[in-house]
Amino acid sequence: MGWYSRAVLPSLLDWVMAADVFTEQRRSLLARASGRILEIGFGTGLNVPHYSPERVTHLVGIDINPGTSALAERRIAAAGFPIERQISNGENLPFRDRSFDCVVSTWTLCSIRRLDRALAEIYRVLQSGGSFLFIEHGLSPRASVRVWQHRLTPVQQALVDGCHLNRNISAEIAKHDWEIDPLDCFSLQNLPELVGYTYRGSACKP
């Protein structure tokens, strides 16, 4: 991981992803999170203010980028519930089977290199009956948009630490034994569909 990824990208993403259009989505999704929670791609802690302290018993946040730590600390300090943060890779989660009641991913699955491996790990560490809550951008259903998503993904990967514009998130999640309900697919307001086509849902582990 180079200097740009560690020193520049965390502040840039913190600024971009704090926009109201993303904040509204975080608030809606995380209202359903409860119990012992694992957050994949904790980043700078932008999700923290949107968890309910009355519903969360413990939050473990993992992120592969150590450069996010300084920005995350102030949000961790202000939280009304215990948070443990680890520098770790979502493809190899350092937790026992069925360790969590809920797993959360917000705008993270786009950048994990071996996504299938990471989803298998999420499934493994989640309790039976537990929920995987996600909101991700990805592949548009419109062919005219998909063409450009495929063309520009190599550029996006170079600029945003491996981020893919063209992943079909619902299809990737459906490869595992989840019960997905609900699943909403839509374009975020005021964003081009190229980067703003969104998958938001809850996947339950039987």
Side-chain angles (χ1 to χ4, degrees):
M1 185 171 290
W3 174 83
Y4 169 78
S5 294
R6 293 193 316 272
V8 177
L9 195 57
S11 294
L12 178 61
L13 289 178
D14 187 73
W15 174 65
V16 171
M17 299 304 294
D20 289 346
V21 65
F22 300 113
T23 298
E24 291 168 10
Q25 296 297 329
R26 294 178 199 277
R27 186 180 299 118
S28 174
L29 183 75
L30 297 175
R32 291 177 269 172
S34 64
R36 181 171 169 82
I37 299 169
L38 172 65
E39 184 176 327
I40 307 291
F42 186 79
T44 60
L46 284 168
N47 283 340
V48 171
H50 306 297
Y51 288 106
S52 169
E54 293 78 22
R55 292 171 58 84
V56 178
T57 57
H58 190 83
L59 173 65
V60 179
I62 68 163
D63 202 281
I64 197 171
N65 188 345
T68 60
S69 299
L71 289 168
E73 284 303 321
R74 61 186 175 86
R75 294 186 175 113
I76 291 172
F81 50 88
I83 298 177
E84 175 188 347
R85 188 175 181 278
Q86 298 184 20
I87 302 301
S88 186
N89 189 325
E91 299 168 12
N92 296 286
L93 297 175
F95 309 109
R96 294 178 307 208
D97 295 358
R98 299 179 294 279
S99 297
F100 297 94
D101 303 300
C102 180
V103 178
V104 168
S105 173
T106 58
W107 295 285
T108 296
L109 300 184
C110 59
S111 59
I112 297 176
R113 183 175 300 175
R114 294 186 298 166
L115 179 55
D116 194 57
R117 172 67 181 168
L119 289 170
E121 281 287 272
I122 290 170
Y123 191 92
R124 179 184 66 80
V125 302
L126 193 61
Q127 292 273 12
S128 295
S131 295
F132 173 36
L133 304 178
F134 59 90
I135 182 164
E136 304 286 346
H137 73 108
L139 191 68
S140 166
R142 293 201 297 156
S144 59
V145 177
R146 290 199 303 267
V147 166
W148 285 101
Q149 287 180 313
H150 293 314
R151 287 176 180 170
L152 293 176
T153 283
V155 178
Q156 180 81 351
Q157 287 180 286
L159 292 175
V160 196
D161 255 7
C163 174
H164 293 69
L165 298 171
N166 59 351
R167 282 185 167 166
N168 186 329
I169 299 299
S170 60
E172 292 294 334
I173 292 174
K175 290 178 183 178
H176 301 268
D177 189 23
W178 301 100
E179 296 173 358
I180 303 178
D181 183 32
L183 173 66
D184 299 315
C185 298
F186 55 94
S187 287
L188 284 178
Q189 267 189 324
N190 304 320
L191 285 179
E193 193 167 312
L194 180 78
V195 295
Y197 190 76
T198 299
Y199 300 76
R200 182 186 65 201
S202 174
C204 180
K205 178 178 177 178

mmCIF file of all heavy atoms in Angstrom, residues 4-29:
data_model
loop_
_atom_site.group_PDB
_atom_site.id
_atom_site.type_symbol
_atom_site.label_atom_id
_atom_site.label_comp_id
_atom_site.label_asym_id
_atom_site.label_seq_id
_atom_site.Cartn_x
_atom_site.Cartn_y
_atom_site.Cartn_z
ATOM 1 N N TYR A 4 0.006 7.395 -1.428
ATOM 2 C CA TYR A 4 -1.296 7.966 -1.816
ATOM 3 C C TYR A 4 -2.435 7.267 -1.080
ATOM 4 O O TYR A 4 -3.336 7.918 -0.537
ATOM 5 C CB TYR A 4 -1.473 7.843 -3.328
ATOM 6 C CG TYR A 4 -2.874 8.151 -3.815
ATOM 7 C CD1 TYR A 4 -3.315 9.460 -3.929
ATOM 8 C CD2 TYR A 4 -3.759 7.119 -4.168
ATOM 9 C CE1 TYR A 4 -4.600 9.747 -4.382
ATOM 10 C CE2 TYR A 4 -5.036 7.393 -4.618
ATOM 11 C CZ TYR A 4 -5.451 8.709 -4.722
ATOM 12 O OH TYR A 4 -6.723 8.983 -5.155
ATOM 13 N N SER A 5 -2.393 5.941 -1.032
ATOM 14 C CA SER A 5 -3.464 5.175 -0.382
ATOM 15 C C SER A 5 -3.524 5.446 1.115
ATOM 16 O O SER A 5 -4.612 5.551 1.693
ATOM 17 C CB SER A 5 -3.254 3.676 -0.621
ATOM 18 O OG SER A 5 -3.391 3.366 -1.981
ATOM 19 N N ARG A 6 -2.363 5.570 1.748
ATOM 20 C CA ARG A 6 -2.320 5.749 3.203
ATOM 21 C C ARG A 6 -2.552 7.194 3.629
ATOM 22 O O ARG A 6 -3.229 7.440 4.631
ATOM 23 C CB ARG A 6 -0.971 5.283 3.756
ATOM 24 C CG ARG A 6 -0.698 3.808 3.661
ATOM 25 C CD ARG A 6 0.507 3.421 4.530
ATOM 26 N NE ARG A 6 1.604 4.359 4.385
ATOM 27 C CZ ARG A 6 2.564 4.282 3.457
ATOM 28 N NH1 ARG A 6 2.529 3.290 2.577
ATOM 29 N NH2 ARG A 6 3.531 5.163 3.403
ATOM 30 N N ALA A 7 -1.983 8.160 2.891
ATOM 31 C CA ALA A 7 -1.953 9.537 3.369
ATOM 32 C C ALA A 7 -2.959 10.473 2.715
ATOM 33 O O ALA A 7 -3.363 11.470 3.320
ATOM 34 C CB ALA A 7 -0.534 10.105 3.166
ATOM 35 N N VAL A 8 -3.373 10.179 1.484
ATOM 36 C CA VAL A 8 -4.263 11.085 0.750
ATOM 37 C C VAL A 8 -5.680 10.541 0.657
ATOM 38 O O VAL A 8 -6.654 11.235 0.969
ATOM 39 C CB VAL A 8 -3.712 11.359 -0.666
ATOM 40 C CG1 VAL A 8 -4.678 12.246 -1.463
ATOM 41 C CG2 VAL A 8 -2.335 12.002 -0.589
ATOM 42 N N LEU A 9 -5.808 9.292 0.249
ATOM 43 C CA LEU A 9 -7.121 8.729 -0.032
ATOM 44 C C LEU A 9 -8.068 8.724 1.174
ATOM 45 O O LEU A 9 -9.261 9.018 1.013
ATOM 46 C CB LEU A 9 -6.962 7.314 -0.604
ATOM 47 C CG LEU A 9 -8.198 6.718 -1.279
ATOM 48 C CD1 LEU A 9 -8.697 7.610 -2.420
ATOM 49 C CD2 LEU A 9 -7.893 5.327 -1.800
ATOM 50 N N PRO A 10 -7.613 8.409 2.407
ATOM 51 C CA PRO A 10 -8.558 8.424 3.532
ATOM 52 C C PRO A 10 -9.256 9.768 3.726
ATOM 53 O O PRO A 10 -10.482 9.815 3.917
ATOM 54 C CB PRO A 10 -7.672 8.069 4.732
ATOM 55 C CG PRO A 10 -6.592 7.227 4.150
ATOM 56 C CD PRO A 10 -6.301 7.862 2.821
ATOM 57 N N SER A 11 -8.523 10.860 3.656
ATOM 58 C CA SER A 11 -9.143 12.184 3.824
ATOM 59 C C SER A 11 -10.056 12.526 2.660
ATOM 60 O O SER A 11 -11.136 13.109 2.849
ATOM 61 C CB SER A 11 -8.055 13.258 3.959
ATOM 62 O OG SER A 11 -7.325 13.077 5.143
ATOM 63 N N LEU A 12 -9.645 12.153 1.458
ATOM 64 C CA LEU A 12 -10.467 12.422 0.278
ATOM 65 C C LEU A 12 -11.792 11.671 0.354
ATOM 66 O O LEU A 12 -12.869 12.253 0.142
ATOM 67 C CB LEU A 12 -9.693 12.019 -0.982
ATOM 68 C CG LEU A 12 -10.422 12.183 -2.314
ATOM 69 C CD1 LEU A 12 -10.790 13.634 -2.549
ATOM 70 C CD2 LEU A 12 -9.571 11.652 -3.456
ATOM 71 N N LEU A 13 -11.735 10.375 0.684
ATOM 72 C CA LEU A 13 -12.961 9.585 0.783
ATOM 73 C C LEU A 13 -13.831 10.028 1.950
ATOM 74 O O LEU A 13 -15.066 10.001 1.866
ATOM 75 C CB LEU A 13 -12.616 8.102 0.908
ATOM 76 C CG LEU A 13 -12.058 7.438 -0.359
ATOM 77 C CD1 LEU A 13 -11.717 5.979 -0.081
ATOM 78 C CD2 LEU A 13 -13.040 7.545 -1.516
ATOM 79 N N ASP A 14 -13.202 10.438 3.051
ATOM 80 C CA ASP A 14 -13.956 10.923 4.205
ATOM 81 C C ASP A 14 -14.793 12.140 3.812
ATOM 82 O O ASP A 14 -15.959 12.263 4.207
ATOM 83 C CB ASP A 14 -12.996 11.276 5.334
ATOM 84 C CG ASP A 14 -13.719 11.621 6.619
ATOM 85 O OD1 ASP A 14 -14.247 10.705 7.267
ATOM 86 O OD2 ASP A 14 -13.770 12.823 6.978
ATOM 87 N N TRP A 15 -14.215 13.021 3.018
ATOM 88 C CA TRP A 15 -14.913 14.226 2.564
ATOM 89 C C TRP A 15 -16.035 13.880 1.585
ATOM 90 O O TRP A 15 -17.176 14.328 1.743
ATOM 91 C CB TRP A 15 -13.905 15.176 1.916
ATOM 92 C CG TRP A 15 -14.528 16.376 1.292
ATOM 93 C CD1 TRP A 15 -15.207 17.382 1.933
ATOM 94 C CD2 TRP A 15 -14.554 16.694 -0.110
ATOM 95 N NE1 TRP A 15 -15.653 18.306 1.015
ATOM 96 C CE2 TRP A 15 -15.266 17.919 -0.239
ATOM 97 C CE3 TRP A 15 -14.030 16.073 -1.235
ATOM 98 C CZ2 TRP A 15 -15.471 18.525 -1.479
ATOM 99 C CZ3 TRP A 15 -14.238 16.677 -2.476
ATOM 100 C CH2 TRP A 15 -14.951 17.889 -2.583
ATOM 101 N N VAL A 16 -15.729 13.040 0.597
ATOM 102 C CA VAL A 16 -16.723 12.685 -0.428
ATOM 103 C C VAL A 16 -17.874 11.897 0.179
ATOM 104 O O VAL A 16 -19.061 12.201 -0.046
ATOM 105 C CB VAL A 16 -16.063 11.870 -1.556
ATOM 106 C CG1 VAL A 16 -17.124 11.303 -2.501
ATOM 107 C CG2 VAL A 16 -15.074 12.728 -2.338
ATOM 108 N N MET A 17 -17.561 10.898 0.991
ATOM 109 C CA MET A 17 -18.577 9.980 1.502
ATOM 110 C C MET A 17 -19.370 10.534 2.677
ATOM 111 O O MET A 17 -20.302 9.898 3.157
ATOM 112 C CB MET A 17 -17.935 8.645 1.884
ATOM 113 C CG MET A 17 -17.254 7.924 0.732
ATOM 114 S SD MET A 17 -18.346 7.610 -0.677
ATOM 115 C CE MET A 17 -19.517 6.443 0.023
ATOM 116 N N ALA A 18 -19.015 11.743 3.136
ATOM 117 C CA ALA A 18 -19.800 12.399 4.180
ATOM 118 C C ALA A 18 -20.954 13.222 3.604
ATOM 119 O O ALA A 18 -21.725 13.822 4.358
ATOM 120 C CB ALA A 18 -18.899 13.300 5.023
ATOM 121 N N ALA A 19 -21.109 13.226 2.283
ATOM 122 C CA ALA A 19 -22.182 13.981 1.637
ATOM 123 C C ALA A 19 -23.550 13.489 2.099
ATOM 124 O O ALA A 19 -23.722 12.317 2.463
ATOM 125 C CB ALA A 19 -22.063 13.865 0.113
ATOM 126 N N ASP A 20 -24.524 14.384 2.058
ATOM 127 C CA ASP A 20 -25.869 14.076 2.564
ATOM 128 C C ASP A 20 -26.484 12.853 1.890
ATOM 129 O O ASP A 20 -27.174 12.062 2.535
ATOM 130 C CB ASP A 20 -26.797 15.272 2.359
ATOM 131 C CG ASP A 20 -26.474 16.430 3.287
ATOM 132 O OD1 ASP A 20 -25.723 16.225 4.265
ATOM 133 O OD2 ASP A 20 -26.970 17.545 3.027
ATOM 134 N N VAL A 21 -26.235 12.677 0.594
ATOM 135 C CA VAL A 21 -26.852 11.567 -0.135
ATOM 136 C C VAL A 21 -26.400 10.219 0.427
ATOM 137 O O VAL A 21 -27.183 9.259 0.487
ATOM 138 C CB VAL A 21 -26.530 11.670 -1.647
ATOM 139 C CG1 VAL A 21 -25.051 11.505 -1.928
ATOM 140 C CG2 VAL A 21 -27.356 10.658 -2.434
ATOM 141 N N PHE A 22 -25.161 10.142 0.901
ATOM 142 C CA PHE A 22 -24.661 8.908 1.516
ATOM 143 C C PHE A 22 -25.107 8.802 2.977
ATOM 144 O O PHE A 22 -25.433 7.710 3.451
ATOM 145 C CB PHE A 22 -23.135 8.857 1.428
ATOM 146 C CG PHE A 22 -22.609 8.897 0.030
ATOM 147 C CD1 PHE A 22 -21.880 9.974 -0.428
ATOM 148 C CD2 PHE A 22 -22.855 7.851 -0.852
ATOM 149 C CE1 PHE A 22 -21.390 10.024 -1.727
ATOM 150 C CE2 PHE A 22 -22.371 7.878 -2.151
ATOM 151 C CZ PHE A 22 -21.640 8.974 -2.591
ATOM 152 N N THR A 23 -25.131 9.927 3.671
ATOM 153 C CA THR A 23 -25.524 9.928 5.081
ATOM 154 C C THR A 23 -26.953 9.414 5.261
ATOM 155 O O THR A 23 -27.245 8.643 6.179
ATOM 156 C CB THR A 23 -25.393 11.343 5.662
ATOM 157 O OG1 THR A 23 -24.026 11.750 5.585
ATOM 158 C CG2 THR A 23 -25.853 11.388 7.113
ATOM 159 N N GLU A 24 -27.848 9.819 4.385
ATOM 160 C CA GLU A 24 -29.243 9.366 4.470
ATOM 161 C C GLU A 24 -29.338 7.857 4.310
ATOM 162 O O GLU A 24 -30.128 7.192 5.006
ATOM 163 C CB GLU A 24 -30.066 10.062 3.382
ATOM 164 C CG GLU A 24 -30.259 11.552 3.626
ATOM 165 C CD GLU A 24 -30.822 12.268 2.401
ATOM 166 O OE1 GLU A 24 -31.223 11.567 1.443
ATOM 167 O OE2 GLU A 24 -30.853 13.503 2.411
ATOM 168 N N GLN A 25 -28.545 7.304 3.416
ATOM 169 C CA GLN A 25 -28.557 5.859 3.206
ATOM 170 C C GLN A 25 -27.980 5.112 4.403
ATOM 171 O O GLN A 25 -28.487 4.054 4.803
ATOM 172 C CB GLN A 25 -27.775 5.506 1.934
ATOM 173 C CG GLN A 25 -28.382 6.048 0.661
ATOM 174 C CD GLN A 25 -29.764 5.485 0.384
ATOM 175 O OE1 GLN A 25 -30.061 4.342 0.743
ATOM 176 N NE2 GLN A 25 -30.620 6.270 -0.245
ATOM 177 N N ARG A 26 -26.913 5.632 4.981
ATOM 178 C CA ARG A 26 -26.329 5.014 6.177
ATOM 179 C C ARG A 26 -27.360 4.969 7.308
ATOM 180 O O ARG A 26 -27.541 3.949 7.970
ATOM 181 C CB ARG A 26 -25.118 5.826 6.663
ATOM 182 C CG ARG A 26 -23.936 5.849 5.740
ATOM 183 C CD ARG A 26 -22.823 6.730 6.337
ATOM 184 N NE ARG A 26 -21.869 7.133 5.329
ATOM 185 C CZ ARG A 26 -20.854 6.392 4.919
ATOM 186 N NH1 ARG A 26 -20.661 5.199 5.435
ATOM 187 N NH2 ARG A 26 -20.015 6.844 3.997
ATOM 188 N N ARG A 27 -28.022 6.095 7.532
ATOM 189 C CA ARG A 27 -28.981 6.189 8.629
ATOM 190 C C ARG A 27 -30.100 5.163 8.466
ATOM 191 O O ARG A 27 -30.484 4.479 9.431
ATOM 192 C CB ARG A 27 -29.563 7.610 8.669
ATOM 193 C CG ARG A 27 -30.470 7.872 9.861
ATOM 194 C CD ARG A 27 -31.001 9.296 9.843
ATOM 195 N NE ARG A 27 -29.936 10.280 9.912
ATOM 196 C CZ ARG A 27 -29.674 11.181 8.966
ATOM 197 N NH1 ARG A 27 -30.405 11.220 7.870
ATOM 198 N NH2 ARG A 27 -28.698 12.043 9.122
ATOM 199 N N SER A 28 -30.617 5.032 7.270
ATOM 200 C CA SER A 28 -31.704 4.092 7.011
ATOM 201 C C SER A 28 -31.261 2.651 7.210
ATOM 202 O O SER A 28 -31.964 1.850 7.846
ATOM 203 C CB SER A 28 -32.216 4.299 5.581
ATOM 204 O OG SER A 28 -33.163 3.323 5.243
ATOM 205 N N LEU A 29 -30.093 2.301 6.686
ATOM 206 C CA LEU A 29 -29.609 0.921 6.770
ATOM 207 C C LEU A 29 -29.270 0.528 8.201
ATOM 208 O O LEU A 29 -29.655 -0.546 8.678
ATOM 209 C CB LEU A 29 -28.371 0.757 5.886
ATOM 210 C CG LEU A 29 -27.781 -0.653 5.819
ATOM 211 C CD1 LEU A 29 -28.661 -1.545 4.947
ATOM 212 C CD2 LEU A 29 -26.352 -0.627 5.293
#
